[in-house]
Amino acid sequence: MEEHVTTVNKYVEKLIDFGIEYAPKLVGGIIVLIIGLWFTKIITKAVGKSLEKSKIDQSLVPFLKSLTNIALKALVFVTVMGMIGIQMTSFVAILGAAGLAVGMALSGTLQNFAGGVIILILKPFKIGDFIEAQGFTGTVKEISIFSTMLNTADKKLVIIPNGPLSTGALINYSAEPTRRVDWTFGIAYGDDVQNFKRAINDFIAQDERILKDPAPFVGLAALADSSVNFTVRVWVDGPDYWNVFFDMNEKVYTQFANYNLNIPFPQMDMHFIKEK
């Protein structure tokens, strides 16, 4: 009986010693945890308000707020565990190994995720822009965190992963308010060059969509095998590009004859020599 009481007293003494040693750490850890979570909430709200007022795409704001919240909470919990006396070396090693395994398994997904964040922050294009990228051309319909959706001219939906989209070459046709329209027109050898310039200048003057500044350009580009080729350049508002392009082609085809101009085609002259 006395041995049993002695054993119980030893355990009680150890429990009291443990409590005396760790109680202050535990209380301090709880206090730090409460204060830390409170500060985390305040900082997350402040970051969210700051992001909402900034020029960052609003679809990215919830993600950045959540990322800030998670990072701050992780910092608080790691600090509290260190205060209590938990050895963090093994814990950090396990987390690192797990993070490496997950990162390798989701490397493609993480690349697309990072690409989406870069696109939403840097904004190389926005919804409604007409772009060319990764071999596709179309109007941006939606930008998500993992992919970007394009509507092509023939109403096909193209989904492009954000990883290669953020690192590859990209043409944004809507980035500037105006665009230059270029043509190469040919006339037959022997046609009057002044007639050609008069015809083109008349066509340009008839189209109100063509801007006066910068001024249109007409110049002789090449003396080709079967034609005399001219370069014609005009500037238009971005949305008018294709309509002006097609209308000018139609005018050249249907009205060149009114200016005594001929549209040439490839031809070959053959000379026969009669032997005596």
Side-chain angles (χ1 to χ4, degrees), residues 9-73:
N9 289 336
K10 288 182 179 180
Y11 280 115
V12 171
E13 289 177 0
K14 289 182 178 180
L15 185 62
I16 292 173
D17 292 339
F18 180 83
I20 293 173
E21 181 179 356
Y22 285 97
K25 296 181 180 179
L26 184 61
V27 172
I30 293 174
I31 293 173
V32 170
L33 179 63
I34 294 172
I35 296 175
L37 293 178
W38 180 68
F39 270 111
T40 296
K41 188 175 181 180
I42 293 176
I43 294 173
T44 302
K45 285 184 177 179
V47 170
K49 290 181 180 179
S50 177
L51 291 173
E52 288 171 359
K53 294 178 181 179
S54 68
K55 296 181 179 180
I56 292 178
D57 194 295
Q58 293 304 303
S59 60
L60 192 60
V61 172
F63 162 72
L64 292 177
K65 286 176 62 178
S66 176
L67 186 64
T68 303
N69 187 47
I70 292 172
L72 290 175
K73 284 183 177 179

Side-chain angles (χ1 to χ4, degrees), residues 253-273:
Y253 180 73
T254 59
Q255 300 183 35
F256 253 19
N258 298 336
Y259 293 85
N260 296 318
L261 297 171
N262 299 288
I263 297 177
F265 52 88
Q267 53 186 301
M268 180 183 296
D269 293 335
M270 300 184 66
H271 300 273
F272 295 92
I273 301 175

Side-chain angles (χ1 to χ4, degrees), residues 43-185:
I43 294 173
T44 302
K45 285 184 177 179
V47 170
K49 290 181 180 179
S50 177
L51 291 173
E52 288 171 359
K53 294 178 181 179
S54 68
K55 296 181 179 180
I56 292 178
D57 194 295
Q58 293 304 303
S59 60
L60 192 60
V61 172
F63 162 72
L64 292 177
K65 286 176 62 178
S66 176
L67 186 64
T68 303
N69 187 47
I70 292 172
L72 290 175
K73 284 183 177 179
L75 181 62
V76 170
F77 281 114
V78 169
T79 302
V80 169
M81 286 188 287
M83 290 179 62
I84 293 175
I86 299 176
Q87 294 296 325
M88 297 302 298
T89 306
S90 300
F91 182 71
V92 171
I94 293 172
L95 283 180
L100 179 62
V102 172
M104 293 178 65
L106 300 176
S107 59
T109 302
L110 292 176
Q111 182 184 10
N112 293 331
F113 174 81
V117 173
I118 292 172
I119 289 172
L120 290 171
I121 291 177
L122 299 182
K123 293 184 178 180
F125 55 85
K126 62 182 183 298
I127 293 175
D129 283 356
F130 190 77
I131 68 171
E132 179 180 346
Q134 300 297 307
F136 299 99
T137 302
T139 303
V140 179
K141 178 183 179 183
E142 181 181 333
I143 305 172
S144 66
I145 201 68
F146 292 106
S147 62
T148 295
M149 299 182 184
L150 300 184
N151 269 337
T152 62
D154 56 350
K155 293 302 179 184
K156 292 177 183 176
L157 179 63
V158 179
I159 301 175
I160 305 178
N162 283 337
L165 186 61
S166 65
T167 57
L170 181 147
I171 301 175
N172 188 344
Y173 293 102
S174 303
E176 300 295 334
T178 59
R179 290 183 62 187
R180 194 182 75 186
V181 190
D182 294 2
W183 297 273
T184 298
F185 295 125

